[in-house]
Amino acid sequence: MAAVLASALMLPACRQNTGSETQETADTTTNQPTATMKVTRESLGTLTGNAEVEMYTLRNTSGATVKITNYGAIVTSIQMPDKNGNFGEVVLGFGNVKDYLTNDYLSSGPYFGAVVGRYGNRIAKGRFSLEGQQYTLATNNGPNHLHGGLKGFDKKVWQAQKIQGDTTAKLHLMYRSPDGEEGYPGTLQTSITYTLTDNNELRIEYQATTDKPTIVNLTNHSYFNLAQDSAANVLDHQVTINAGRYVAVDKTLIPTGQLPSVKGTPMDFTTPHAIGERIGKVEGGYDHTWVFDRTGSDGDLFLGARVVAPASGRVMEVLTDQPGVQFYTGNFLNGTFRGHGGRTYVKNYGFCLETQHFPDSPNQPGFPSVVLRPGTSYQTTTVYRFSVQQ
Ligand code: BGC
């Protein structure tokens, strides 16, 4: 079934619009659908000490919006229509960027909407070696390193440039991570381009270069709930993941090196299943990496996952060139945070589909490599495409 799904849904990379793009400087904000794409900017001042924190709104001609702050490259809001044409929030997040800076938020570390790196996911005991040299990273998740360390890319202020075209609205974010930052070798010049298209797609392009051999695994940590007006959680969302295997992990969520088949297990999402149907059979809930049946090449993207929310009719498809996806069902959310619309983010209120390489790849010779060397470029693309079905 997975193979059928893969071949039926193999898709070419969405074409980049390069025609008639101009860098826009005027700041205008409107909540109405517009004849053209719009990118607007709002300054929030120097919330983190020195660099200016900003909020950008990308808006397409039908009125769908994506809000992104240059603090952590965080997607704070995505508003998409439901089956009746009503726009509503589909991610978890805060209207006020200050809420991403509180002690409660930082100590619990949900990473709502952020870009995580240099290494998204876990590295066992925060240690790896590369070309004969040992490196030690912070252990910020039990005995392990998680999502780039104590002050990863999710807590950096990125340099932003907005780009507005006729059919796309883009935000380009850049961050230069110095050699040795959080223990990682090499200066990493990183950029993320967020594009909202008129097809209600949020396209995320990641790019990085280094001046010394290093490791990179970037992803976006958005939590989705496609029916926030009516659903108490996402357990009724129907999920398909185009993956016949998953990454087996130990108690600390570090891979054992095995990539077992999903067949006959609660991990089998090769056909649609409600998240809640078998979640009780998975200790702690879903928090694993699925191994896609097909990896992208030459810029081709393929459909990795599809989620349908029956209550709203919203559909989200995830297209990527990455080898895997962390499907995390918000198991550690505990009601501490209230976000958009005053909603309380309880356990399983959102799910993440973090496209990426496998956890602990630097210590797993059998996994695809995450090494980046000088003179080469890390480049990867993921698209979250929204639509509706009745
Ligand atoms: C991890 C979870 C973690 C969450 C928030 C996910 O990517 O897999 O284990 O709790 O991020 O940090």
Side-chain angles (χ1 to χ4, degrees):
M1 190 60 201
V4 174
L5 190 64
S7 58
L9 297 168
M10 218 173 274
L11 297 164
C14 306
R15 205 169 293 282
Q16 190 86 17
N17 173 50
T18 48
S20 70
E21 284 180 356
T22 50
Q23 289 178 23
E24 205 214 32
T25 48
D27 287 346
T28 47
T29 310
T30 162
N31 292 321
Q32 299 306 311
T34 56
T36 55
M37 311 293 291
K38 275 215 183 308
V39 187
T40 57
R41 170 188 179 272
E42 182 193 352
S43 172
L44 304 175
T46 53
L47 294 184
T48 60
N50 37 31
E52 188 177 10
V53 175
E54 304 155 319
M55 180 65 84
Y56 289 87
T57 304
L58 313 184
R59 183 182 305 274
N60 71 13
T61 56
S62 68
T65 56
V66 177
K67 283 179 174 277
I68 302 157
T69 169
N70 66 331
Y71 172 74
I74 297 173
V75 175
T76 64
S77 163
I78 301 179
Q79 300 234 351
M80 287 290 163
D82 66 9
K83 62 185 173 193
N84 301 316
N86 297 322
F87 284 84
E89 189 57 61
V90 297
V91 292
L92 277 56
F94 305 117
N96 190 335
V97 174
K98 282 186 182 156
D99 290 341
Y100 295 90
L101 297 165
T102 63
N103 287 337
D104 269 359
Y105 185 79
L106 295 172
S107 59
S108 112
Y111 298 88
F112 291 147
V115 165
V116 290
R118 292 189 192 186
Y119 200 92
N121 219 314
R122 293 172 174 82
I123 295 178
K125 305 203 163 51
R127 289 195 214 122
F128 69 98
S129 62
L130 183 57
E131 309 207 328
Q133 183 92 27
Q134 290 273 350
Y135 295 98
T136 305
L137 311 170
T139 48
N140 56 334
N141 185 250
N144 302 320
H145 177 83
L146 177 69
H147 295 335
L150 299 175
K151 195 168 178 194
F153 287 3
D154 59 297
K155 299 179 189 72
K156 303 291 180 189
V157 178
W158 296 59
Q159 196 188 329
Q161 184 183 51
K162 58 188 175 130
I163 302 169
Q164 187 173 313
D166 290 341
T167 55
T168 55
K170 295 187 190 204
L171 182 66
H172 187 64
L173 294 163
M174 286 155 290
Y175 176 65
R176 182 179 170 280
S177 173
D179 187 11
E181 185 173 59
E182 293 291 327
Y184 292 100
T187 309
L188 196 76
Q189 195 69 51
T190 317
S191 74
I192 313 285
T193 306
Y194 285 109
T195 304
L196 175 63
T197 72
D198 247 347
N199 296 327
N200 288 352
E201 296 163 324
L202 175 63
R203 181 185 177 96
I204 312 179
E205 289 158 291
Y206 304 82
Q207 205 260 337
T209 53
T210 184
D211 59 2
K212 282 186 195 165
T214 191
I215 57 169
V216 194
N217 187 33
L218 303 178
T219 189
N220 180 278
H221 208 291
S222 286
Y223 291 63
F224 300 94
N225 179 327
L226 305 179
Q228 298 191 25
D229 289 335
S230 50
N233 52 47
V234 291
L235 296 178
D236 71 342
H237 286 40
Q238 296 274 335
V239 173
T240 309
I241 305 177
N242 189 10
R245 290 178 299 155
Y246 69 100
V247 179
V249 289
D250 69 15
K251 287 235 172 312
T252 69
L253 301 181
I254 291 296
T256 61
Q258 306 299 308
L259 304 177
S261 166
V262 297
K263 229 180 163 55
T265 78
M267 312 299 273
D268 190 348
F269 284 95
T270 54
T271 54
H273 285 274
I275 293 176
E277 184 187 326
R278 301 160 300 173
I279 196 171
K281 297 186 177 145
V282 180
E283 202 184 332
Y286 295 109
D287 192 0
H288 298 77
T289 306
W290 270 253
V291 179
F292 286 136
D293 290 337
R294 174 187 176 271
T295 52
S297 63
D298 299 330
D300 278 358
L301 303 186
F302 70 102
L303 184 73
R306 184 171 196 270
V307 184
V308 180
S312 66
R314 287 196 186 92
V315 178
M316 184 179 83
E317 293 168 315
V318 184
L319 297 90
T320 191
D321 53 18
Q322 286 291 280
V325 66
Q326 184 82 8
F327 174 47
Y328 168 58
T329 46
N331 314 320
F332 297 110
L333 297 176
N334 62 8
T336 307
F337 304 113
R338 285 169 77 102
H340 295 304
R343 297 180 186 106
T344 304
Y345 295 155
V346 293
K347 184 172 178 176
N348 305 137
Y349 191 77
F351 67 90
C352 302
L353 283 166
E354 308 158 47
T355 53
Q356 57 185 251
H357 273 253
F358 309 157
D360 202 30
S361 295
N363 296 308
Q364 291 282 351
F367 289 180
S369 173
V370 289
V371 174
L372 179 68
R373 293 197 160 78
T376 60
S377 176
Y378 169 89
Q379 250 162 335
T380 161
T381 301
T382 291
V383 174
Y384 295 94
R385 176 190 288 161
F386 298 90
S387 58
V388 291
Q389 69 180 38
Q390 293 301 323

